[in-house]
Amino acid sequence: MKIGPHELRNNVFVAPMAGVTDRPFRQLCKELGAGYAVSEMAASNPRLWASEKSSRRTDHTGEMEPKAVQIAGAVPEELADCAKFNVDRGAQIIDINMGCPVKKVCNNWCGSALLQHEDLVQRILEAVVPAVNVPVTLKFRTGWDRENKNALRIARIAEQAGIQMLTLHGRTRADGYTGDAEYDTIAAVKAAVTIPVVANGDITTPEKARFVLDKTGADAVMIGRAAQGRPWIFREIDHFLRTGEHMPAPLVAEVRKLMDEHLQAHYAFYGEFLGVRTARKHIGWYVRDLPGGEEFRQEMNRLESTAEQLRAVDSFFESQWKYGERLQYRLAAEPLAA
């Protein structure tokens, strides 16, 4: 699997997720087997480039290569300038967001709202691709709604404009994250173009990854929500795709160490005040479906310092030893294996 000159370790990728795929999380996912990761989306509006939020989103210091930045906007010239700005800051791949379904993004005619205007899509791609000397990729959806699906036309426009990889989330903008992903549409796009196609949507297990690759013929899979709190899913899927065998659940001792490293990196990235607050969602994802996880999450959300958080997380994972040396992912209402 290659994107331009960049040869990737495997074909299991991290999806860009606002508020989730910051640099510490991307780096952790790469260390745990992800072949590729894309940043949170950065706004193309030049007035926002120097903001603390935007600067943090495009910070790739020390990150495993290739370093990819996703940009979002609706003005071709602004997107081209944003792409150049980020390449100057070290981006090695630029990804254009035409897939975000969030209302505040679409209300500004960005994200998946662009799919309603194929002429504007073409102008954006034809502005961004020649503006930079790095590969440009596109993430998009199957259409605006079920009655207006145009993924095939968008894919052909993208290929003609010089886009070097397509990532297709198998839902329309109107679907949001509900319903089943349309793998038939992804298969049709893959058959219609010669550039790599990545399948995205509802890929939550190694078996599902194998099914989606077989069903669509896609070159890679992209994992989003299923990686929240389980960044080792990338090595599990990669191992299954290569061997047909499952890896065992991670050791409690390993996850305890990973959590400590992730939180320390997170606090260093965000600082004390913001770090303790933004870490809460990550901690909640890590402990969900573990024995005592919901009770712990509620207690942890009341803690106000990073030191308290670290001690609480360490104590929680110490408590998991009584259920076995490996994590027991079961709902609290179900009996637990020793």
Side-chain angles (χ1 to χ4, degrees):
M1 183 70 196
K2 294 183 72 175
I3 305 175
H6 305 288
E7 187 164 347
L8 309 179
R9 292 184 298 158
N10 60 41
N11 61 344
V12 186
F13 301 167
V14 187
M17 294 175 280
V20 181
T21 51
D22 52 25
R23 190 187 73 202
F25 186 73
R26 291 194 307 271
Q27 183 69 2
L28 180 62
C29 291
K30 289 178 177 180
E31 291 170 358
L32 290 172
Y36 177 63
V38 184
S39 76
E40 305 169 81
M41 62 181 175
S44 63
N45 186 334
R47 293 191 299 274
L48 301 176
W49 293 355
S51 70
E52 184 179 0
K53 186 175 183 179
S54 291
S55 296
R56 193 181 288 119
R57 286 189 168 189
T58 57
D59 185 341
H60 291 267
T61 306
E63 185 177 348
M64 193 182 302
E65 296 184 353
K67 302 173 182 179
V69 171
Q70 186 180 77
I71 61 175
V75 180
E77 296 75 19
E78 283 189 358
L79 281 159
D81 289 342
C82 183
K84 288 186 283 190
F85 174 79
N86 279 285
V87 169
D88 289 342
R89 284 171 55 90
Q92 297 167 304
I93 297 171
I94 294 294
D95 185 61
I96 301 174
N97 183 315
M98 293 189 187
C100 181
V102 176
K103 186 176 294 186
K104 70 177 181 180
V105 173
C106 290
N107 284 348
N108 291 317
W109 296 104
C110 303
S112 54
L114 291 166
L115 301 177
Q116 299 173 94
H117 304 282
E118 294 176 16
D119 58 334
L120 179 56
V121 169
Q122 182 172 346
R123 287 191 286 118
I124 287 172
L125 301 184
E126 290 178 348
V128 175
V129 169
V132 291
N133 60 355
V134 303
V136 180
T137 63
L138 173 68
K139 191 172 191 291
F140 66 122
R141 285 184 171 236
T142 58
W144 177 249
D145 56 31
R146 296 291 178 96
E147 289 70 45
N148 295 279
K149 293 182 183 179
N150 57 351
L152 279 173
R153 293 196 298 275
I154 296 293
R156 293 189 179 106
I157 290 169
E159 183 173 35
Q160 291 169 3
I163 291 294
Q164 296 197 33
M165 185 180 79
L166 298 170
T167 299
L168 181 55
H169 185 135
R171 290 184 172 89
T172 67
R173 186 271 168 180
D175 291 331
Y177 296 99
T178 62
D180 296 327
E182 309 164 35
Y183 299 128
D184 288 341
T185 304
I186 298 176
V189 167
K190 173 59 185 173
V193 298
T194 60
I195 56 178
V197 173
V198 182
N200 179 220
D202 294 346
I203 302 168
T204 56
T205 65
E207 293 93 341
K208 190 65 175 288
R210 177 77 275 164
F211 169 81
V212 170
L213 288 170
D214 291 343
K215 173 79 173 176
T216 64
D219 301 277
V221 289
M222 183 170 275
I223 317 298
R225 289 169 293 163
Q228 294 173 355
R230 297 191 188 182
W232 43 85
I233 192 172
F234 300 99
R235 72 183 183 191
E236 292 174 344
I237 291 176
D238 178 53
H239 181 79
F240 184 80
L241 293 178
R242 288 186 291 104
T243 68
E245 298 177 354
H246 286 280
M247 295 183 71
L251 293 165
V252 172
E254 180 192 16
V255 175
R256 186 176 179 178
K257 182 173 182 289
L258 285 172
M259 277 288 292
D260 183 74
E261 292 173 353
H262 183 191
L263 290 176
Q264 295 281 11
H266 189 91
Y267 301 149
F269 191 65
Y270 288 100
E272 172 76 19
F273 181 82
L274 192 57
V276 73
R277 286 154 180 81
T278 52
R280 287 170 181 161
K281 60 178 176 285
H282 286 282
I283 296 169
W285 291 327
Y286 275 109
V287 304
R288 66 185 173 191
D289 298 338
L290 290 174
E294 179 55 25
E295 295 85 350
F296 169 74
R297 186 188 66 81
Q298 293 182 26
E299 293 174 8
M300 180 271 304
N301 282 345
R302 292 192 286 269
L303 302 178
E304 294 291 336
S305 76
T306 57
E308 288 178 306
Q309 250 183 13
L310 284 169
R311 285 195 297 270
V313 169
D314 189 65
S315 177
F316 175 81
F317 280 98
E318 177 68 24
S319 75
Q320 297 300 297
W321 280 100
K322 61 187 171 188
Y323 304 106
E325 67 174 2
R326 296 186 181 277
L327 292 187
Q328 300 292 321
Y329 278 113
R330 296 172 181 272
L331 295 175
E334 294 181 350
L336 295 167

